[in-house]
Amino acid sequence: MPTVRVAAASGVINGKLYVAGGSSAGTALNILEVYDPATNTWATKTPMPTARDVPGFGVIGDKLYVVGGNTLAVSQASRVNTLEIYDPATDRWTTGAPMPTARSYTTVQAIDGKLYVAGGHNGATSNQFLSTLEVYDPATNTWAIKRSMSTGRFAPASGVIGGRFYVACGWPAGPASQTNVV
């Protein structure tokens, strides 16, 4: 990979791996690189408008959606609610409606053409771990707030089974307190 980084967004579109943002040496990045396994090569594409690390991300159709994150790497005070959408067919980014809640360390899944964003962290202190669920509809460029999870947490794992969004584990009160709640 051309750029050394951690905490980036990624998604697979048409058999290629897209990696956006992240951080390197304490600096948030806006770099977008794509890996083509058929040719075993990397290419650099148009950078994201907003440099950030630990964003949420998902693929709907043939577009990469990158939401939230930190504009200052590892900074707890730089959470954003920005949604940016990459279209590989045009190599262009567009900006979607901002997410209702600024957050990073969230989990995201695409279900039935919508982007589901759950949990995460939204502030400078460890007691601001989120239980909220927000859903983006690209057809209307709008967000809806849905029923919250029973446990707020950041850095959870998630998956979709049978059209249902499952959120597992995470930190409900900081790295010293982990949970096994699903």
Side-chain angles (χ1 to χ4, degrees):
M1 177 175 220
T3 304
V4 174
R5 63 177 111 179
V6 299
S10 65
V12 174
I13 301 170
N14 296 323
K16 296 178 182 177
L17 176 66
Y18 290 79
V19 181
S23 65
S24 181
T27 301
L29 303 173
N30 67 343
I31 298 166
L32 172 64
E33 295 166 339
V34 60
Y35 175 69
D36 184 345
T39 60
N40 192 30
T41 58
W42 285 92
T44 301
K45 299 296 185 177
T46 300
M48 271 192 310
T50 307
R52 53 203 150 137
D53 76 337
V54 291
F57 53 90
V59 172
I60 298 174
D62 290 336
K63 295 181 181 174
L64 176 67
Y65 291 74
V66 182
V67 63
N70 298 327
T71 57
L72 302 170
V74 198
S75 172
Q76 296 184 8
S78 66
R79 310 287 190 243
V80 295
N81 62 349
T82 306
L83 169 63
E84 292 167 341
I85 306 155
Y86 179 73
D87 184 347
T90 61
D91 189 31
R92 297 185 79 142
W93 289 91
T94 56
T95 302
M99 186 170 41
T101 307
R103 64 177 81 197
S104 61
Y105 293 96
T106 186
T107 190
V108 178
Q109 293 291 330
I111 305 171
D112 295 331
K114 295 179 181 174
L115 199 67
Y116 286 70
V117 181
H121 191 273
N122 76 335
T125 63
S126 63
N127 63 353
Q128 294 172 316
F129 302 132
L130 301 172
S131 61
T132 54
L133 171 63
E134 296 168 347
V135 180
Y136 177 72
D137 184 347
T140 60
N141 191 34
T142 59
W143 287 90
I145 298 172
K146 299 294 185 177
R147 184 175 176 193
S148 294
M149 297 183 293
S150 61
T151 306
R153 56 195 116 150
F154 81 106
S158 68
V160 177
I161 303 170
R164 294 183 65 153
F165 185 29
Y166 290 86
V167 179
C169 63
W171 288 328
S177 69
Q178 299 159 1
T179 183
N180 62 353
V181 172
V182 177

